[in-house]
């Protein structure tokens, strides 16, 4: 199950308590720093407040509301737009605490709630009744499903998208202001063959809503924006009603929302938007980075105010974040600083592989706990949900309780359960639950047929070899025969778990594409990660014991934790962590293809957003920051290969990492191998002369050559592959396949 984190809007500088207004009014100079004060005291004209991470943007908005009301501006003419109604309520409540209850009369809410109110008031201008119905996402999907059926698009053989996926495609097209074809090209390429049918369905869906007095969430914004554009008289009326407009998190607005702001400010331009261009990370939801960058062009005379004083992190962490974002191609220049004393440098942790990375993190977490840092003060952040699968297993073994936000836990994914069910019947043929699951995956086998097959298996003593003798009909003969073959193949004695999984995946992948056709590309990534985990096991029983008998989502048992340790470690995707903070943050899997994501490497804009995502991750840490990456990774296709560290690591000066050697981290080399100054393997284009020199020495890298690697230690070359890769047997870690273009391998003479 996935969770939505609640965004922390309470960033209050500890040295600046809320100043209650009295006879002398609010002491703004005491409550605010100079940049915040400048923003609060600017009452008219357009303003762009670039609020760096942890710089008190919420406080600035709260005091500006109070300042406007205190200066005699009618609260009804002030509009505060936020991304949740809760955030608006909390801001107005805080403004009331420092001034008076009059602040509660300010209009606050989301773009959607405002559009709903305005459209009901002007509904007759758009051919709707004031009592029109709003469809939530579930209602929208149901309506789409009815229309899909009416067009005959429900045939399974066509593999037409499911209703929820169609609703998502339509919504993305609206919010990103792009066509259905563009959405398919960007995110649903496997449905491109249905583009014409989807366009036809979209038109039918639009007609259906209009004729039945229905609007979905996206319609609220579209119709409100269109009404403001097409009726200047209404735009003028609304603009005169809301004389002072403030927008929070402006970097997360989409094109529609930016247009609405411009149209509503047509008569006055008294607009203050607050946000951080460096934290614009939601383009997949339709957020448009250009909105905040182009604001001064849309509102000539804009005053830009930058909040740079940070109240969250140490200066060492902030300096690293500044260095990282300085490489951004397009940005508002800012330099975060803090007046907080103390702090330690960030720590860079290159580790041999993902398994070692998980062990390293567990060791550090246990050490932090011994030093008084609670689990609730620690977070492990990652680019994608499946990046934590290996770590989830290790945390469970170590008895460390955790909660995960963003993405599924490993054992919650249906396709992972499908695969493990096949492996479980190999280990235990009497496992009826697993038999039930794998039999239902076969075409034309329903619950009744499934039960008959299981009854027959029970009568034959659950013999895998007897399954092929079941008296079956022609409709299920082929599917059952294929199941028999794969079960026999993965039951072969002497096979390693990795080999069993490879054979099973070849059988299961067509099933995956058939059953989970809406998002099977993402699910295939999960199966690749399962293969990475399986590569660490020598026996199938041990693998299933870790993954099934002690599933990661169970967390640590209460018996293993004392009463004072009932709080949990946070595992989270970076997108789900925005707005939150922890004492210690680990950012893991910082390797090319993982962070930045391989999908992002196709465009400069996507890479720039990945950089901003890294910036968000770094600025979640208050006291301690660890950056970790595996030196080698395992993939089912290539086996174990050298991994390139993330380009973002290479952009950070080595001087910003702690230089002292960590203790107590014994990896497979049998020695302490983590050090904050570990040399980073070069990327293509860096140190070209050295890399070329290494590549011309293939003659020296013949089988038997004695070599040394900074992480794996010394070993001998077993094989040279295509002049690009070498297979080396290292004394402490065994066989590794290394790519000569990225490795720190050197010849020992």
């Amino acid at each position: 199950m996935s969770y939505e984190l609640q965004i922390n809007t309470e960033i209050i500088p500890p040295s600046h308590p809320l100043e209650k207004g009295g006879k002398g009014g609010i002491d703004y100079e005491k409550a605010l720093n100079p940049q915040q004060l400048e923003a609060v005291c600017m009452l008219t004209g357009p303003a762009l407040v670039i609020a760096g991470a942890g710089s008190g943007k919420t406080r600035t908005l709260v005091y500006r509301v109070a300042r406007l009301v205190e200066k005699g501006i009618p609260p009804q003419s002030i509009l505060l737009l936020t991304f949740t109604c809760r955030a608006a309520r909390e801001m107005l409540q805080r403004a009331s605490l420092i001034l008076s209850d009059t602040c509660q009369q300010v209009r606050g809410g989301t773009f959607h709630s405002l559009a709903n109110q305005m459209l009901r008031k002007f509904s007759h201008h758009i051919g709707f009744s004031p009592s029109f119905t709003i469809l939530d996402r579930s209602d929208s999907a149901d309506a789409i499903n009815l229309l899909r059926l009416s067009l005959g698009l429900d045939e399974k053989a066509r593999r037409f998208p499911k209703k929820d996926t169609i609703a998502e495609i339509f919504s993305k097209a609206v919010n990103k202001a792009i066509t259905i074809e563009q959405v398919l090209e960007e995110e649903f390429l496997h449905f491109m063959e249905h583009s014409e049918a989807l366009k036809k369905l979209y038109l039918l869906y639009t007609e259906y809503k209009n004729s039945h007095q229905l609007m979905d969430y996206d319609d609220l914004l579209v119709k409100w924006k269109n009404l403001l554009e097409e009726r200047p008289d209404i735009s003028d009326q609304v603009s005169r009603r809301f004389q002072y407009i403030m927008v929070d998190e402006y970097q997360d607005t989409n094109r529609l929302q930016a247009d609405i702001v411009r149209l509503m400010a047509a008569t006055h331009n008294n607009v203050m938007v607050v946000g951080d261009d460096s934290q614009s990370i939601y383009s997949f939801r339709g957020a448009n980075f250009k909105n905040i960058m182009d604001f001064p062009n849309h509102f000539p005379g804009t005053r830009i105010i930058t909040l740079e004083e940070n109240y969250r992190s140490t200066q060492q962490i902030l300096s690293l974040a500044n260095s990282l974002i300085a490489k951004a191609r397009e940005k508002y220049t800012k330099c975060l600083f803090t007046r907080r004393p103390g702090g330690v440098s960030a720590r860079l942790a290159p580790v041999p592989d993902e398994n070692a990375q998980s062990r390293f993190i567990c060791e550090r977490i246990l050490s932090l706990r011994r030093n008084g840092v609670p689990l609730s003060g620690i977070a492990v952040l990652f680019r994608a949900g499946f990046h934590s699968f290996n770590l989830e297993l290790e945390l469970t073994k170590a008895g460390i309780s955790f909660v995960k936000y963003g993405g599924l836990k490993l054992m919650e994914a249906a396709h992972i359960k499908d695969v493990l069910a096949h492996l479980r019947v190999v280990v235990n043929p009497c496992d009826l639950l697993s038999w039930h699951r794998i039999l239902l995956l076969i075409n034309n086998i329903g619950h009744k047929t499934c039960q008959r097959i299981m009854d027959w298996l029970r009568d034959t003593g659950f013999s895998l070899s007897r399954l092929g003798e079941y008296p079956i009909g022609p409709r299920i003969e082929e599917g059952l025969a294929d199941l028999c073959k794969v079960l026999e193949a993965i039951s072969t004695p002497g096979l390693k778990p990795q080999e069993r999984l490879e054979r099973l995946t070849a059988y299961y992948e067509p099933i995956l594409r058939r059953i989970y056709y809406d998002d099977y590309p993402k699910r295939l990534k999960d199966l690749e990660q399962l293969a990475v985990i399986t590569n660490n096991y020598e026996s199938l029983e041990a693998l299933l014991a870790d993954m099934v008998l002690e599933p990661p989502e169970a967390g640590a048992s209460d018996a293993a934790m004392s009463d004072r340790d009932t709080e949990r470690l946070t595992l989270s995707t970076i997108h789900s962590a925005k707005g939150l903070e922890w004492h210690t943050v680990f950012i893991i899997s910082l390797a090319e293809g993982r962070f930045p994501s391989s999908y992002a490497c196709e465009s400069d804009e996507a890479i720039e957003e990945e950089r901003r995502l890294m910036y968000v991750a770094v600025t979640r840490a208050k006291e301690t920051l660890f950056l970790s990456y595996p030196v080698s990774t395992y993939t089912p296709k290539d086996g174990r290969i050298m991994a390139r560290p993330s380009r973002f690591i290479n952009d950070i000066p080595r001087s910003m990492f702690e230089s002292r050697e960590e203790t107590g981290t014994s990896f497979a080399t049998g020695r302490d191998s983590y050090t904050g100054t570990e040399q980073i393997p070069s990327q293509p284009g860096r140190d070209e002369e050295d890399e070329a020199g290494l590549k011309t020495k293939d003659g020296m890298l013949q089988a038997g050559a004695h070599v040394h690697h900074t992480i794996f230690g010394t070993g001998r070359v077993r094989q040279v592959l295509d002049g690009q890769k070498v297979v080396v047997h290292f004394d402490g870690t065994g066989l590794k396949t290394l790519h000569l273009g990225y490795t720190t391998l050197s010849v020992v003479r």
Side-chain angles (χ1 to χ4, degrees):
M1 180 178 180
S2 299
Y3 300 84
E4 287 292 332
L5 287 182
Q6 303 226 342
I7 301 301
N8 175 17
T9 60
E10 302 293 314
I11 302 175
I12 304 177
S15 60
H16 295 162
L18 289 171
E19 296 293 332
K20 176 68 177 178
K23 290 184 179 179
I26 299 172
D27 190 344
Y28 292 98
E29 291 188 4
K30 183 178 179 181
L32 304 167
N33 67 37
Q35 291 71 37
Q36 292 171 337
L37 181 63
E38 180 184 1
V40 167
C41 291
M42 182 185 172
L43 302 185
T44 59
L48 170 59
V49 179
I50 300 298
S55 62
K57 72 174 181 63
T58 300
R59 185 181 188 85
T60 303
L61 284 169
V62 167
Y63 273 87
R64 188 165 191 267
V65 168
R67 177 80 171 180
L68 288 168
V69 174
E70 186 183 48
K71 288 297 183 181
I73 294 169
Q76 298 85 356
S77 67
I78 304 171
L79 175 64
L80 174 63
L81 292 171
T82 60
F83 271 79
T84 67
C85 290
R86 176 184 173 183
R89 285 196 305 270
E90 290 180 350
M91 289 185 199
L92 297 181
Q93 287 169 0
R94 288 176 58 185
S96 297
L97 288 175
I98 63 175
L99 185 66
S100 69
D101 289 341
T102 307
C103 294
Q104 294 281 17
Q105 299 175 33
V106 170
R107 177 71 170 86
T110 65
F111 280 91
H112 290 86
S113 65
L114 174 69
N116 174 52
Q117 178 186 335
M118 294 293 101
L119 287 174
R120 292 190 188 280
K121 178 177 181 179
F122 298 107
S123 60
H124 59 285
H125 292 289
I126 58 174
F128 273 70
S129 162
S131 59
F132 63 81
T133 299
I134 299 176
L135 302 173
D136 62 19
R137 179 52 69 92
S138 176
D139 295 331
S140 297
D142 289 341
I144 288 170
N145 193 47
L146 289 174
L147 299 172
R148 181 183 65 172
L149 295 175
S150 71
L151 292 176
L153 299 174
D154 60 321
E155 300 172 12
K156 291 184 178 180
R158 295 192 59 176
R159 291 287 171 264
F160 202 75
K162 296 177 182 178
K163 60 180 183 179
D164 291 325
T165 302
I166 299 172
E168 183 180 359
I169 292 170
F170 290 173
S171 182
K172 284 182 180 292
V174 172
N175 283 288
K176 289 188 172 186
I178 58 178
T179 64
I180 299 289
E181 288 97 332
Q182 287 174 302
V183 175
L184 296 178
E185 287 174 358
E186 291 179 4
E187 300 184 47
F188 301 91
L189 194 59
H190 52 298
F191 288 135
M192 183 57 74
E193 64 179 297
H194 300 301
S195 62
E196 291 302 319
L198 284 169
K199 285 191 289 185
K200 183 177 180 181
L201 179 57
Y202 181 72
L203 291 175
L204 187 61
Y205 175 55
T206 302
E207 294 170 0
Y208 174 84
K209 289 182 294 181
N210 289 337
S211 62
H212 291 82
Q213 297 288 302
L214 303 172
M215 290 191 202
D216 59 27
Y217 289 148
D218 299 323
D219 291 326
L220 293 173
L221 297 185
V222 171
K223 292 184 181 299
W224 178 228
K225 179 237 179 184
N226 290 343
L227 181 61
L228 291 172
E229 279 186 330
E230 296 166 6
R231 294 294 301 268
D233 56 327
I234 293 177
S235 175
D236 184 79
Q237 181 181 341
V238 171
S239 182
R240 295 184 187 283
R241 157 78 188 278
F242 297 114
Q243 289 283 319
Y244 299 86
I245 300 174
M246 288 178 282
V247 185
D248 189 21
E249 302 284 11
Y250 194 69
Q251 79 280 350
D252 294 334
T253 55
N254 60 31
R255 182 174 172 180
L256 279 170
Q257 292 163 330
D259 289 342
I260 287 171
V261 170
R262 290 199 295 272
L263 290 164
M264 291 181 62
T267 65
H268 52 73
N269 279 356
N270 294 329
V271 179
M272 175 175 283
V273 299
V274 180
D276 185 1
D277 55 298
S278 298
Q279 297 188 68
S280 179
I281 60 174
Y282 294 116
S283 65
F284 66 95
R285 294 181 184 170
N288 191 336
F289 173 70
K290 290 294 185 181
N291 285 351
I292 194 167
M293 300 308 299
D294 292 343
F295 184 85
N297 297 329
H298 295 142
F299 290 89
T302 292
R303 183 191 298 184
I304 301 175
I305 303 168
T306 305
L307 306 185
E308 297 175 299
E309 183 171 357
N310 179 282
Y311 298 95
R312 174 188 298 153
S313 307
T314 64
Q315 188 58 56
Q316 289 86 341
I317 292 172
L318 297 179
S319 295
L320 189 149
N322 290 335
S323 174
L324 179 70
I325 206 63
K327 301 284 187 178
R329 295 186 177 185
E330 189 175 6
K331 62 184 179 296
Y332 288 104
T333 301
K334 56 183 172 295
C335 185
L336 297 180
F337 71 94
T338 184
R339 301 179 195 276
R340 293 180 53 196
V344 296
S345 297
R347 301 171 190 179
L348 180 63
V351 290
D353 52 33
E354 285 186 292
N355 215 29
Q357 177 176 255
S358 298
R359 295 199 306 275
F360 165 76
I361 291 171
C362 286
E363 289 180 11
R364 292 282 75 80
I365 289 171
L366 293 173
S367 176
L368 287 163
R369 289 175 64 199
R370 288 192 294 270
N371 286 285
V373 180
L375 286 179
S376 57
I378 307 171
V380 182
L381 306 183
F382 32 84
R383 175 62 181 84
F386 70 86
H387 291 171
S388 70
F389 285 174
N390 188 290
L391 178 60
E392 292 171 39
L393 295 176
E394 198 66 32
L395 290 170
T396 301
K397 292 179 188 177
I400 299 173
S401 182
F402 66 89
V403 61
K404 183 176 180 180
Y405 299 95
L408 287 173
K409 291 184 181 178
L410 179 62
M411 288 299 295
E412 291 172 345
H415 50 294
I416 297 295
K417 291 182 177 180
D418 291 345
V419 170
L420 292 180
H422 289 81
L423 297 176
R424 288 170 66 177
V425 299
V426 170
V427 173
N428 176 21
C430 299
D431 186 343
L432 285 176
L433 285 176
S434 294
W435 275 115
H436 185 265
R437 188 175 193 96
I438 66 178
L439 287 170
L440 287 178
L441 294 174
I442 298 175
N443 257 333
N444 300 315
I445 290 185
H447 290 282
K448 291 182 179 179
T449 303
C450 177
Q451 188 60 52
R452 287 197 295 268
I453 296 174
M454 289 194 298
D455 290 342
W456 187 85
L457 280 170
R458 186 189 295 109
D459 293 340
T460 60
F462 292 101
S463 170
L464 295 180
S465 61
R466 296 289 303 278
L467 179 61
E469 300 174 10
Y470 178 74
I472 52 179
R475 296 179 68 231
I476 64 172
E477 181 176 3
E478 182 179 356
L480 201 58
D482 289 341
L483 176 62
C484 290
K485 290 178 184 177
V486 73
L487 291 179
E488 288 178 2
I490 65 177
S491 301
T492 303
L495 286 181
K496 291 185 176 182
Q498 174 190 348
E499 295 171 305
R500 297 180 197 270
L501 184 62
E502 287 175 357
R503 298 185 184 190
L504 178 57
T505 302
Y507 159 79
Y508 178 70
E509 188 172 329
I511 296 175
L512 178 75
R513 293 172 181 267
R514 171 171 55 85
I515 296 178
Y516 306 108
Y517 58 87
D518 273 48
D519 60 353
Y520 75 82
K522 295 179 181 178
R523 295 177 188 260
L524 282 174
K525 286 284 186 182
D526 290 347
L527 292 184
E528 290 178 8
Q529 189 63 19
L530 179 61
V532 172
I533 294 172
T534 304
N535 186 56
N536 298 318
Y537 288 84
E538 291 298 323
S539 76
L540 189 57
E541 290 79 5
L543 172 69
L544 293 177
D546 283 347
M547 301 190 66
V548 182
L549 300 180
E550 292 183 286
E553 70 265 31
S557 66
D558 291 338
M561 307 291 289
S562 65
D563 290 340
R564 65 183 177 83
D565 287 328
T566 53
E567 78 277 350
R568 294 179 290 180
L569 167 78
T570 296
L571 305 183
S572 178
T573 60
I574 301 168
H575 286 101
S576 295
K578 185 174 178 290
L580 300 174
E581 59 187 42
W582 293 270
H583 176 281
T584 298
V585 169
F586 295 84
I587 307 175
I588 65 171
S589 295
L590 283 165
E592 286 291 304
R594 291 208 157 193
F595 197 175
S597 164
S598 57
Y599 297 110
C601 296
E602 298 176 1
S603 75
D604 292 339
E605 291 79 8
I607 285 293
E608 287 297 285
E609 180 156 329
E610 295 285 297
R611 180 179 298 279
R612 297 192 293 269
L613 194 62
M614 179 68 174
Y615 174 85
V616 168
V618 166
T619 54
R620 299 311 94 198
K622 298 196 298 186
E623 302 288 342
T624 311
L625 175 66
F626 289 90
L627 307 182
S628 174
Y629 72 92
V631 173
S632 70
T633 59
Y634 172 83
T635 64
K637 180 180 179 181
D638 299 319
R640 184 158 296 282
I641 60 174
M642 290 300 297
R644 283 185 291 166
S646 170
R647 65 192 69 191
F648 304 139
I649 289 180
N650 286 313
D651 286 343
I652 301 169
R654 301 281 78 77
S655 61
M656 291 189 173
F657 293 110
E658 187 168 311
S659 59
R660 71 178 177 86
E661 185 173 343
E662 286 281 326
T663 59
T665 307
S666 299
F667 297 127
T669 57
R671 59 182 174 85
D672 291 342
S673 58
Y674 165 67
T675 169
T677 57
E678 180 69 38
Q679 182 181 353
I680 308 301
S682 297
Q683 295 189 57
R686 293 179 177 264
D687 301 320
E688 294 178 1
E689 183 177 349
D690 292 342
E691 288 187 15
L694 182 61
K695 291 179 180 179
T696 63
K697 298 177 182 178
D698 287 353
M700 300 175 61
L701 291 179
Q702 296 174 356
H706 194 202
V707 294
H708 180 268
H709 187 272
T710 55
I711 296 294
F712 301 129
T714 58
R716 290 194 178 276
V717 176
R718 287 287 183 86
Q719 188 179 5
V720 177
L721 305 174
D722 302 326
Q724 294 295 319
K725 301 177 184 177
V726 289
V727 179
V728 182
H729 185 276
F730 290 99
D731 299 337
T733 58
L735 287 176
K736 306 289 182 185
T737 301
L738 310 177
H739 195 294
L740 298 180
Y742 313 130
T743 185
T744 54
L745 194 68
S746 60
V747 177
V748 178
R749 299 185 183 278

